[in-house]
Structures are given as C-alpha cells and as structure tokens.
Amino acid sequence: MGNFILMPKLGMTMTDGKIIKWLKDEGDMIEKGDYIFEVETDKTSLEVDSLYTGILLKKYYGAGEDVPCNSEMGYIGKTGEAIPELQRAAAAASVPTEKQSVSAPAAEPSKKVETKPLVVEEGSYDYDLIVIGAGPGGYVAAIRAAQLGAKVAIVEKDEMGGTCLNRGCIPTKALYASAKRWKNIRNADQYGFKVTGAEFDFTAIMENKNKVVHRLTSGVSSLMKKNKVEIIKGEAKIKKEHEVTVGGKKFTCKFALIATGGRPASVLKNIDAGVEIWDTDKLMGLKSLPEKAVIVGGGIIGCEIGCILNSFGVKVTIVEMLPSILSMVDGDIAVCLADDMKKNDIEILSGVTVDGIKKDSAHNIVKLSNGNTVTCDMIIEAVGRKANKDAFEDLGVELTPKGFVVTDDFMTTNLGSVYAIGDITGICQLAHAASEQGIIAVERMFGGRTKAEKQNIPSCIFTDLEIAYVGMTEAQAKEKGLDVRIFKFPFGANGKALTMGESEGFVKVVCESRFGEILGVHIIGPDASSLIQEAVTAMRLEATAESAGTTVHAHPTLSEALMEAFLGCSTGAIHM
Ligand SMILES: Cc1cc2nc3c(=O)[nH]c(=O)nc-3n(C[C@H](O)[C@H](O)[C@H](O)COP(=O)(O)OP(=O)(O)OC[C@H]3O[C@@H](n4cnc5c(N)ncnc54)[C@H](O)[C@@H]3O)c2cc1C
C-alpha cells in the first residue's frame, strides 16, 4: 500500500496552492527528502520534498493547476501496485485536519454567528453609521467609515479615546516610562555616572501622565473633526435596529456599531467595612504611593502595575490563583519574568485565592485560602474585565455566557445591521485588535469586503523585563501534535543589549520542522514590544524561519537576536 502526496498547508491564509512544475515524472524512483514539485501560494513559492520512498505512480494534477490544501495530488508506491482512482477535489479548499494544518490559531470568539449576507433594509436615515463608544475600536472605525464616504456619528459618554487612552494602555505606559527612567537613575553608576540625592516627585509623574493622555484624547477629537465625524456627547441606548437614542434624542442609522468596551471585574468577597479596593480605573487618579500593596491577579495588568509600583519603592505582593503568573504566555517566558520579579523583591503567591479582607486600625489584612495572611495598606484588584452592555440590553443581540457579544468574522451580530467590535466581543482585549475589528466591520459595510483575513495579533506586556509574543506557544504547538523545532537566543549574546546594559531575557522561536513555518515568536527583554513586529510581518508574509533568519539585519541591533533565533531554527545560529 503506497502513500498519497498531499498539497501542504504552508500558512494561516493558504487555502490552495498552484503547482508551478513537477520535479519528478511518473515512474521515477523517489527517495524520502527528494524535492518532488514546486508550489506557489498567494505569498510565496517553495519546493516540496517527499515524505516517502517509492515510485511516483500517479500525478493527479498537472503544472499550472490549483490544488486545495491537504488534497491528494499524487501517489507513491511500488511497481505494479494498483493506483487508487480519485475524485479530484473541488476548487474550494477542503477543511484541513488539526494535524495537517500548521497555521497559528487566530483569536476567535468562543461562539460565532454564521456569516451574514450583507443585506440591510434600505431607507432614509440620519446617518449611514452610528458608532457607540469612542475607544480605539470605535474611533478608528468611525474614521475609516468616513474615509469610505459614509456619513458617521460617534456617541461617547465619557472622554474620547476610551479605556486605552484614559485608563489603560497610554496612562500605564506613561507611568512605565517614568518607572524605567527612575530605574536608570538608580543604576546610573553602571553607566559611569555618579548621581547623589536623586528623588522623584510622584505628583509630577502623575501630571506628566495626565498631559500625555490629554494630548492624545484631544488629538482624537481633532481627527473626528478632520474626517467630518459628528461627535454626540452622552450615553447611547439602542433598543431596536436603526435607532439610537442619546439623552432622549432619537437618531436613525443604516448601521450601528457597538464599541462600548468593558470595565474592571470584581471577585473579592468577605471584605470588612472601610476597606478600600482599588481597580485600575481608580488607580489612574492615585495621589500618593502606598508602602505595601497586594495585587489580586497575576495576569498582564496585575504584573504591569506590580512592576511599576515596585520601581517606585512600593513593597508588592501578587496573589494569583493559578499555579503561575501570566498563564497565557509561553512557559519559559513566565518563569523568566517571575525570576526577575523575585530578584526585584516582588513577592508572588501563586495557587492561592483571597478568602477575605479584614481591617485593623492601620492596615488591611488579606486572608488567603492557604490560611496565611498578608498585611498591606493598599489592595488592587486586577482580575479581568467585564462587558459594558447597558447600551443594548433590550436589543436582542446574541451574547456569550459571560455577556460578550457574539459576531461572525466580519463582526456582524445576529442582527444584520448591528455590528460589534473590541473588548465588548471578548475576542481579544487589546487596543490594536479593537481597531482592526473596527476596520473589518466598516469595510464590510461600506467597502464591500468579501474576505475577513484572520491575522495573528501580537501581545505586549510592559513589565520590568518587557514581554511580547505572537502565534503559538511551544505547549500549544505540541498539544496540536505538530512536529516543532524550538530555538532560544539569549540577549546576553547580543552586542546591542550588552551596550545598553540590558542583557537579560531571550528570543524564542517555535517553528514547524518540515517546512520551517514560523508558528510562534516569544520575546522577553529590551524593547520586546517593538521587536515583535518583525515576527508579525514575517508570519503574515509566510516567511520561513530560514528566510527570516537569512535576511540581513543591521548591526549592532537588538533585532539580531531575532535573526539568530530564526537561524537557530533553520541553518544554525552564528553567535552561539
Ligand atoms: C490598565 C490597562 C492597561 C492596558 N494596556 C494595554 C496595552 O498596553 N496595550 C493594549 O493593546 N491594550 C491594553 N489595554 C486594553 C485596551 O485598553 C482595550 O483593549 C481597548 O481600550 C478596547 O477598546 P474598545 O474600543 O473596545 O473599548 P474602550 O476603549 O473601553 O472604549 C469604549 C468606550 O465606550 C464608551 N461607552 C460605553 N458605553 C457607552 C454608552 N452607552 N454610550 C456612549 N459611550 C459609551 C466608554 O465610555 C468608552 O469610552 C489595557 C487595559 C487596561 C485596563
């Protein structure tokens, strides 16, 4: 019994490949590893090698033909063996099995509504589109819709820019930048400076943060004006399709886009009267630093806040119910960060929950599920976010059990004229994911998009050692049964990192063994958040580890660490 030659799936978006030419003829003897045909995808071309030894008995497709991924395209066996007759695969790609697909998983809602045809009741409306919520999802969608010629209004009940600009990404990164500078001043002797009597002014640090926030939020208002998007201030309600009310005034629209985001969730119970619980929203108005803080939740936000406070001298304890902090990141990265945090005197208590909080005259006493207690003067809860759904509670949009809006790939809800994007969908709670979803939605409405490309979404974590990653972790790739190659290149072997005095951490590449498809890249170390973009682009263009690694990188740069990790997964790292 012989073996079929299958059209490989070489990347996330590949559905079929064109045979450029066969490199072997029927009747040829083939050794395992011999190149047998050349394939062209929408992004790349590649020679494909054989997994089997035998005679090429049959080519089911000829040069120039398109073959769906994972379809039989040839047969290798023994002389005289009966050659199976095949129904040739239809033009559309067959759905690959888990095992055969080597693509990185795209972020997906837990549940999806079936893709809706773009049919919306025609009529005369005040606006083509009303966007509810001016966060990075809503305001970006409004701009793109206006660029496509739509008449657009955006409703916002608070400041323009949403969580991201006012209470999330931007204010925390302004504080992170101050924390980094303070660390540099404290470690100035490492660079040859003698700094004495240095101190920081926390009020001035917060004022700087506010200035950055203000500059950006007013920038969003200017962008609305420039693109002729009308801003309606107030709280929106949408009870039926095509109708949005704000402060008792009714506005009609052809399409509505829900971009109402989320707010901090809370799980703490058994709290004494008088105990103040801080969430990240409240923290943005902090007036003075505590001496000792307990952070409940060792996820991204908990770890970021913990590192910032620690840099300013606060004694931080992180309480995490899972066995380790940052359960979503690659295991090696989480271990490296936990080690760095411990080195900086951040206490991590994992595998425990908070049972209750008592108050004595001066302190809070946090009671843990293992019977221990931690004393502190500030408790910060960072246990995730819940959906802001007050605006559309009576509308009848389908929700997940956790209350997030269910959409199809174009971000359409079960109501054809209502779309939802960003944190409210619970798909991926990141600002750039919200913006991308906003663009997909309005291009569907006004630009006639027929395909919603599922892109790899990078994530960045701004802890003392910065983290960034895209695609599959080593564990996820192995769980999928993929044959993977892994390589870790340390920043300690990178010249630029050494000159910067920031040589901790590494770049880890996970790639598929046979074709070298890059499945995931995980970075911990200096400027990881900027470095990751090379990996995101390489993966989108379906570069292999070899082509990414053999691309010339400037010297001396941190990006050479990425190059070396790609090389380590292909032809061999040079500096290790
Ligand atoms: C502390 C923290 C740090 C973060 N750091 C990062 C980071 O570094 N990088 C990153 O990518 N992401 C980060 N995030 C996540 C990021 O902020 C969110 O993913 C992003 O803001 C979601 O955008 P959105 O447009 O979906 O919603 P939001 O930004 O939440 O905007 C929703 C808007 O809708 C408005 N709204 C709600 N209901 C109504 C209504 N009925 N009528 C009118 N207006 C309404 C709200 O006032 C709000 O302005 C962080 C979040 C937090 C909390």
Side-chain angles (χ1 to χ4, degrees):
M1 177 72 185
N3 293 287
F4 287 109
I5 303 165
L6 302 181
M7 172 59 75
K9 182 163 169 63
L10 299 169
M12 187 168 59
T13 56
M14 181 178 171
T15 54
D16 53 51
K18 185 192 280 286
I19 303 171
I20 301 175
K21 62 177 176 202
W22 282 94
L23 304 171
K24 299 284 181 187
D25 290 322
E26 284 180 4
D28 281 357
M29 178 65 199
I30 292 176
E31 295 294 332
K32 183 178 172 189
D34 283 354
Y35 290 120
I36 39 180
F37 64 94
E38 216 177 309
V39 62
E40 182 184 76
T41 74
D42 55 341
K43 302 203 176 72
T44 188
S45 61
L46 195 86
E47 287 181 348
V48 178
D49 57 344
S50 176
L51 293 174
Y52 312 106
T53 295
I55 310 285
L56 177 57
L57 296 175
K58 181 77 181 167
K59 298 176 188 173
Y60 297 108
Y61 290 84
E65 285 196 273
D66 289 316
V67 185
C69 292
N70 299 311
S71 310
E72 296 88 354
M73 47 183 293
Y75 188 75
I76 294 176
K78 292 195 183 109
T79 316
E81 189 180 324
I83 301 167
E85 280 301 316
L86 275 192
Q87 288 256 319
R88 284 179 37 145
S94 58
V95 179
T97 63
E98 286 281 280
K99 178 110 183 147
Q100 285 164 320
S101 167
V102 294
S103 307
E108 283 199 301
S110 49
K111 202 175 161 203
K112 273 200 286 174
V113 296
E114 232 170 78
T115 298
K116 297 227 149 240
L118 184 58
V119 182
V120 169
E121 208 176 292
E122 285 301 331
S124 157
Y125 302 106
D126 298 332
Y127 298 98
D128 296 317
L129 170 66
I130 295 184
V131 180
I132 306 175
Y139 87 74
V140 168
I143 293 173
R144 184 71 191 122
Q147 285 174 346
L148 292 169
K151 186 179 177 203
V152 187
I154 190 163
V155 192
E156 175 54 61
K157 64 175 180 171
D158 201 340
E159 298 294 328
M160 300 298 283
T163 305
C164 171
L165 265 55
N166 295 286
R167 301 170 292 279
C169 328
I170 296 299
T172 52
K173 268 81 249 182
L175 296 176
Y176 175 74
S178 294
K180 281 264 166 195
R181 278 181 175 69
W182 179 234
K183 186 178 176 189
N184 283 342
I185 294 168
R186 284 194 329 261
N187 297 337
D189 57 342
Q190 177 189 344
Y191 308 97
F193 301 101
K194 232 188 190 115
V195 178
T196 49
E199 50 186 59
F200 65 82
D201 173 352
F202 189 66
T203 306
I205 287 171
M206 292 302 268
E207 273 166 13
N208 175 58
K209 181 258 313 173
N210 294 341
K211 239 191 268 169
V212 175
V213 167
H214 179 70
R215 180 163 176 181
L216 285 167
T217 53
S218 51
V220 172
S221 298
S222 309
L223 282 171
M224 294 299 107
K225 204 168 161 196
K226 184 178 157 213
N227 286 283
K228 299 190 173 48
V229 174
E230 193 174 324
I231 298 175
I232 304 172
K233 289 302 283 188
E235 181 158 359
K237 292 266 180 218
I238 172 166
K239 291 193 173 164
K240 58 180 201 175
E241 285 188 78
H242 309 294
E243 223 176 271
V244 176
T245 53
V246 186
K249 207 164 168 217
K250 192 169 89 184
F251 301 93
T252 59
C253 54
K254 185 172 182 187
F255 295 104
L257 179 61
I258 298 172
T260 49
R263 55 180 182 269
S266 174
V267 295
L268 291 176
K269 291 194 182 82
N270 304 325
I271 304 164
D272 270 6
V275 173
E276 186 176 15
I277 306 292
W278 292 71
D279 61 26
T280 50
D281 286 3
K282 208 162 155 187
L283 212 54
M284 294 307 125
L286 186 65
K287 297 273 185 287
S288 61
L289 289 165
E291 259 177 45
K292 199 162 182 284
V294 166
I295 300 178
V296 184
I300 294 177
I301 293 177
C303 288
E304 285 191 358
I305 300 285
C307 286
I308 292 170
L309 292 178
N310 170 262
S311 301
F312 292 128
V314 177
K315 172 74 187 115
V316 172
T317 300
I318 294 179
V319 181
E320 168 56 53
M321 72 170 184
L322 294 174
S324 67
I325 55 163
L326 294 184
S327 56
M328 71 297 288
V329 308
D330 187 273
D332 288 342
I333 300 266
V335 168
C336 182
L337 181 73
D339 288 347
D340 184 66
M341 283 175 144
K342 285 175 198 159
K343 211 170 72 194
N344 286 321
D345 209 22
I346 294 179
E347 185 179 28
I348 299 172
L349 305 176
S350 50
V352 281
T353 53
V354 173
D355 275 356
I357 304 165
K358 296 246 158 258
K359 190 161 180 62
D360 68 15
S361 52
H363 300 289
N364 301 309
I365 300 148
V366 180
K367 289 170 61 184
L368 301 176
S369 54
N370 59 6
N372 293 340
T373 56
V374 189
T375 304
C376 64
D377 45 358
M378 181 180 225
I379 296 162
I380 301 165
E381 195 173 11
V383 293
R385 295 177 66 78
K386 59 182 183 189
N388 275 338
K389 48 188 173 76
D390 312 354
F392 55 90
E393 245 154 5
D394 306 322
L395 181 62
V397 285
E398 191 183 344
L399 301 178
T400 66
K402 286 190 170 166
F404 293 102
V405 179
V406 179
T407 69
D408 67 7
D409 289 344
F410 294 101
M411 315 314 297
T412 320
T413 68
N414 55 316
L415 307 177
S417 71
V418 179
Y419 287 60
I421 56 161
D423 279 11
I424 193 65
T425 66
I427 298 172
C428 174
Q429 296 190 329
L430 291 169
H432 44 285
S435 303
E436 167 65 7
Q437 291 167 0
I439 289 170
I440 289 174
V442 299
E443 289 191 353
R444 173 67 163 168
M445 299 171 202
F446 308 112
R449 250 205 211 212
T450 53
K451 214 172 149 191
E453 181 190 351
K454 282 211 185 99
Q455 294 205 41
N456 280 304
I457 306 284
S459 297
C460 302
I461 308 178
F462 296 84
T463 33
D464 184 51
L465 276 185
E466 212 165 281
I467 294 171
Y469 55 97
V470 61
M472 286 188 221
T473 63
E474 179 178 351
Q476 285 166 344
K478 287 182 174 164
E479 258 165 43
K480 276 192 139 217
L482 299 173
D483 185 11
V484 291
R485 243 179 281 151
I486 311 284
F487 194 85
K488 274 202 284 185
F489 188 85
F491 281 109
N494 173 269
K496 181 69 184 290
L498 287 164
T499 64
M500 293 163 66
E502 294 184 48
S503 55
E504 278 171 83
F506 54 84
V507 177
K508 175 174 176 177
V509 170
V510 181
C511 84
E512 183 273 334
S513 287
R514 185 160 169 239
F515 296 110
E517 183 190 355
I518 304 162
L519 301 174
V521 176
H522 309 269
I523 308 174
I524 180 163
D527 215 8
S529 58
S530 301
L531 288 177
I532 198 65
Q533 204 51 44
E534 173 178 342
V536 181
T537 307
M539 288 171 77
R540 185 170 190 217
L541 299 180
E542 288 169 10
T544 58
E546 183 176 344
S547 59
T550 53
T551 301
V552 177
H553 287 62
H555 175 76
T557 61
L558 296 170
S559 71
E560 287 171 294
L562 260 166
M563 175 187 80
E564 293 279 6
F566 286 133
L567 286 176
C569 266
S570 52
T571 56
I574 302 293
H575 292 91
M576 229 179 109

